[in-house]
Amino acid sequence: MLSCFLAEAFDLVLRHGRNSTLTMLKSEFPGLLPGAQSSVGQLFLDMSLYILGSDSTVDHMGAAFFSKLFPLTYRRLLGGGASSLSEECVRGVWKDSGVFGPYPKLIMTRLSRSLLATRVFLQALNLGIEVVNTTDHLRPSRDCSRALLRLWYCPHCQGMLGPPACRGFCQTIMQGCLGGAAEVQPHWRSYIDGLGKLTGGMRGEQDMEAVVLRLPSMIKLALKQAVNARSRLSVLVSIIHQHTLVSFQTKIGTKLRSEEETTDAATFL
């Protein structure tokens, strides 16, 4: 089936992108590879499911990828391995810190456009195949079969154009038998035109193959951006952690006081 073949071709592109990303990490940031391997695999799996119609969003899968990548980057590339900060605390820093520069947003924007175009293309193709399969299995009714049989006795329909007795007879019979299919023709032509425009627009930022194959280099640039911002990031993580810790302690204190007041009130009663 054509749609299955194309879906497999797109999946092949995603597998190549995943392998290229892992190769890049092994070459450029070997310390990250053991921890990042599952996150990379999940990102490309999410992309594969998305083009097949999953309810996930590209922004969500991109944010999940970088939120998992940041703690590894902080601890294994930026010297935060000896830090006592919790994983959750470190993970929450990456968006506010801008540690990866403009690359997460750029990656998500390009993936959103290219994956959406691929998803719509596959959906449109499946719709067309469904229509073809439906019309391909049309069977003439009994009246239609009898009318078609009568065409054998019409010289005009057999190519002998001299006798004018049944002029228009062939067309009338065929319209009667295949009227439903004939009505589909203008819509089918519009569908083919639309599909052509869709495929013609799958270039540049809407070309999934080009975007996915550039993904390893963009992730590499994001990681280098983080390495270059090492000093600023260490200070920022410490500040955010302290703010989170104070906020947590305040909430705990408020809760304890509330429980104490409830206990005192119950004792008094």
Side-chain angles (χ1 to χ4, degrees):
M1 195 175 189
L2 180 59
S3 61
C4 293
F5 173 77
L6 290 174
E8 177 63 26
F10 290 132
D11 195 56
L12 184 64
V13 171
L14 291 174
R15 289 200 299 269
H16 183 65
R18 179 198 62 198
N19 293 339
S20 296
T21 302
L22 293 175
T23 300
M24 179 276 294
L25 291 175
K26 182 178 180 180
S27 173
E28 301 288 337
F29 310 98
L32 283 182
L33 183 60
Q37 195 164 357
S38 63
S39 299
V40 171
Q42 186 63 49
L43 173 64
F44 283 91
L45 175 61
D46 289 341
M47 286 193 279
S48 178
L49 294 175
Y50 176 80
I51 65 174
L52 293 177
S54 76
D55 293 333
S56 181
T57 65
V58 176
D59 285 348
H60 173 75
M61 64 181 75
F65 171 71
F66 281 104
S67 67
K68 292 176 183 177
L69 186 63
F70 177 70
L72 292 169
T73 303
Y74 177 70
R75 297 190 188 284
R76 300 185 184 183
L77 288 185
L78 308 182
S83 173
S84 60
L85 301 182
S86 68
E87 191 82 1
E88 195 64 31
C89 183
V90 175
R91 184 177 293 179
V93 173
W94 82 268
K95 281 188 177 179
D96 296 328
S97 66
V99 58
F100 295 120
Y103 298 106
K105 184 176 181 180
L106 186 59
I107 287 172
M108 285 184 252
T109 299
R110 290 185 177 178
L111 284 178
S112 293
R113 292 173 181 171
S114 61
L115 293 180
L116 179 60
T118 304
R119 174 179 169 135
V120 171
F121 171 72
L122 286 177
Q123 289 174 343
L125 196 61
N126 283 326
L127 176 62
I129 291 171
E130 185 177 344
V131 172
V132 169
N133 289 339
T134 301
T135 56
D136 191 46
H137 291 86
L138 286 176
R139 292 291 180 268
S141 65
R142 180 177 298 179
D143 290 340
C144 179
S145 297
R146 290 172 180 171
L148 289 172
L149 184 61
R150 280 164 34 212
L151 292 181
W152 285 102
Y153 302 100
C154 175
H156 189 76
C157 295
Q158 293 181 20
M160 294 180 287
L161 303 181
C166 51
R167 183 175 297 166
F169 184 56
C170 299
Q171 185 177 358
T172 301
I173 292 297
M174 295 310 294
Q175 284 180 343
C177 286
L178 303 175
E183 291 174 3
V184 173
Q185 185 61 27
H187 304 289
W188 179 255
R189 189 177 295 112
S190 297
Y191 163 79
I192 294 297
D193 291 342
L195 194 63
K197 291 178 182 178
L198 179 61
T199 55
M202 293 172 68
R203 296 189 178 95
E205 292 189 359
Q206 292 190 347
D207 180 351
M208 191 199 81
E209 182 176 6
V211 171
V212 168
L213 295 184
R214 282 200 297 266
L215 199 54
S217 62
M218 296 181 72
I219 294 174
K220 175 181 174 181
L221 290 172
L223 289 169
K224 286 190 173 183
Q225 179 88 10
V227 171
N228 292 335
R230 185 196 311 258
S231 300
R232 179 182 65 83
L233 183 62
S234 297
V235 174
L236 185 59
V237 169
S238 179
I239 292 173
I240 292 177
H241 173 65
Q242 290 299 326
H243 175 74
T244 303
L245 186 61
V246 170
S247 176
F248 177 74
Q249 289 173 341
T250 301
K251 288 180 180 178
I252 291 296
T254 302
K255 184 178 180 180
L256 290 174
R257 284 194 298 273
S258 177
E259 291 176 351
E260 289 174 356
E261 290 172 358
T262 301
T263 302
D264 291 342
T267 303
F268 177 76
L269 292 175

